[in-house]
Structure formats: structure tokens, C-alpha cells
Amino acid sequence: MDIVNPKARAGWRHEREEASLSDVYRSVQTQKHGTRWRRIAAFVGPGYMVAVGYMDPGNWATSLAGGSKFGYALLTVALLSNLMAIVLQSLCARLAIASGRDLAQACRDAFPKYVSVPLWAFAEIAIIATDIAEVIGTAIGLNLLFGIPLELGVLITALDVFLILYLQKIGFRWVEAFVIALLGIIAVCFGVQIFLADPEWGAVIRGFFPTTEIVSNPEMLYLALGILGATVMPHNLYLHSGIVQTRAYGHTVPEKREALTFATIDSTVALCFALLINASILILAAAAFHANGKTDVVELGEASSLLAPLLGLAIAPTLFGIALLCCGLNSTVTATLAGQIVMEGFLKIRLQPWVRRLITRAIAIIPAAIVTIWYGDAGTAELLILTQVVLSLQLSFAVFPLVMFTASKAKMGELVAPRWLSGIAYLIAVLIAGLNIKLLFDFVTG
């Protein structure tokens, strides 16, 4: 049990109880007496697991649609979303290290049941939306590479639960190594495809600068919000605040400050890597499809089949399929862990680890399977984009509590977020809420 600062404890209604992800809590040593670089290296991992959520198959769908229809214009949204993510994920690490609670536990502790239970429901909806995207993406990847029908592919994705169990049994570092290895494969696949697509780099650079058309054009705003929902994902906020506690950092304030610094470095570098992948998806769509007059490419399967003739190399669709499959596998692993954190944190359900994982996986995979079987090939693209917009609409219910907690001196003690950081975070929260209100207004008014 952590030694919690009495001033920080006073801000919470209850004492901290069972640790987040208790079976792997503080299981990774942090080289307290090693060199600075060795201590930093000990914290590398959680950020890359979080980064997975910023390049999941749902993100592919929104980026492909945005790039094929509007060229490079939405690159600025990917950049802005990533900057928001860096700020919010740093707050997740701060909350976990300062209070010893993940975001779900903090919500349960800070709010009465009539508030915390709806927040739990919204978090579960976000995880279901996430898993629908990831299961469909993985199934499409299996279909592209091996010709496996989508319905069977969905069922195969359920096996990742046992993969997580095995990897965590031999050590949480193996889970992180698995995720980072797949991220490396994804990067290589996209590097080759971007080289083959040969985009107009001047237009790429201009795409990172904002334009008012993104807000004034409802169709562009819908895709922009989809990209935002696919980038800054609600379940990632719960996930990061849980897995950062797998590190055995010290209990004193200076040790916690150092842990916070290293955890923030880890997540910031990992999210910069995620931006490169996100931008690559959109750049590939703009260079391969928009530049060739194909402005309505939204389906992952269709995109894969078009790459070979447009890029002039038969291996291009295979690289696309490999990257998609790796993204899907990675994302389902992290979403499963996020589901566990949400269920344990909000509901205080204590079960054997394998039972917890099967339950949290089933909550998400059953609706994903039903939807996939119902829609088949035809509607998967629209469904993927819709899931990302749903995620964007759910985001405020995770962001506002996170910002409130980390800005509270009573709850955070000496590790309370600086006023300038809280100010930026509140601005991000209000911006996200405002964009979502506009999206709903445009939807209602037709």
C-alpha cells in the first residue's frame, strides 16, 4: 500500500483500497539506484500501449475517408488531436502517481453513485465502440491476408484474451514488448507505402496548418470529429492511469516527481510516434486516392484492393493488411485491459484475473460480433466512422473529471497540476465539448 500524503488523502471521500490491476501492480522494477537513462528506460512501455489507441482500425477508417475526400486538409486535426492527447495523458500519469488511483477509482471515490454509475455506463459504451472498431479491423485484416470470412475473423479475435493472460503471467513487460514489436511492424509497412505513394510534400506541410473550412463544412467537421474521437480516446485515459502503476516507483514526493517526469517522457515520445502513423494513413489516402480522383474511398477492404494498381506494386495491399492486422491485435489487447480497469474501478468487482478478462472482453465482443455479422462487408466503413464519432461524444465524460481531479490541491497534494497546465486542459475539455455540441446541432437540423 502506498504512503499517501495526508493532505492529498483529505481530498478524497475514502481511503484508497485495492490497487489498480492488482495482479501486476508495481511488478516492474524501476532501477532506483541505476543511471538516469536506466531509470527512464524502466518507465518505457505504458506510453506505447496508450499510443496503440491512437492508431487503431477505427482511426484508419476516419483517416482514409478524410484523406481520400479532402486530401491533406485534415492533417491539422490529427496534429491538434495529438497535442491534446499529450496533455491529457500526462494528467493521467499525474493522477495515478499522486493519488494511487486510476481514473475509474477516482470517479467512484469523488462522486456519489448517481454520478459515478452513469460515468461507468458511458465508459463501457466507449469501450464497446472501441472494440467494435478493433474487432472489425482485425477481421478485415485476416480477410485481406488469409481470405478468412469476417464472421469467423470476429470469433478469432476473442483468442487475444488468452494471449494477454499468458503474457501477463510471464510478466507485464512481455505485454509491452509484444505491443511495441507490432508497432514497429506497422511503422515499416507504412514507411514502404508512403515511399511508393510519393506524396506532394509541400501540400503535406500545408495540411498541418488549420483552415476555417473544417468548422464551416459539416461533412468535414463530421470527419474531423471522427479523427478526434479516434485519436483522443476515452478508454485510453482509464488505461494509462492504471498501467503506469505497474512501475515500482518510490513513495516519497521527490520519487513520485521523478516517476511523473519519466512517465510523461514515455507517453509524449510514444504519442509523437503515433502521430507519425496517423499522419501516414491520411497522407497515403490523400496521395494514392484523392490525387487520383478517388474521393469516396472509405472501406478498408476497398482501399487495400486499390493500392496495388495505384502504387504499381503487388506487395502494397499485403503491407496494408499486415499493418491493419497488427493494429487490430494491439488495440484489442489494450482495450481489454482498459475494460478491466473500468469494471474494477467503478464497480469494485473482485474476480480471478482470467474471469475478469473474459467478462470485460465479452461485454465488448458480443455486440461487435452481432454488428459485424449483421452488416457484413457493405456497412463496415460507415460503422467504423460512426464508432469514432460516438467515442468523441463520450470523451467529455472522462476528460472533465480528469482535469478537475488533477487541478485539485486537496486531491493531488504537492503534485497538483500547475495552473497553466490545468488552464490548457480545461480549454481542451471545453473545445471538445463545444465541437460535440455543434456536431449534434448539425445532425438534428439536418
Side-chain angles (χ1 to χ4, degrees), residues 123-136 154 157-158 331-332 335-336 338-339 343 356-372:
E124 289 290 2
I125 290 170
I127 289 172
I128 289 171
T130 300
D131 252 14
I132 288 174
E134 291 158 357
V135 168
I136 290 174
V154 166
T157 62
S331 300
T332 50
T336 301
M343 177 173 281
R356 287 197 300 250
R357 284 173 179 76
L358 285 177
I359 291 175
T360 52
R361 195 76 184 107
I363 287 174
I365 202 170
I366 290 173
I370 292 172
V371 170
T372 305

Side-chain angles (χ1 to χ4, degrees), residues 312-333:
L313 199 63
I315 198 176
T318 303
L319 292 172
F320 186 88
I322 291 171
L324 179 58
L325 181 59
C326 290
C327 276
L329 287 172
N330 259 351
S331 300
T332 50
V333 169

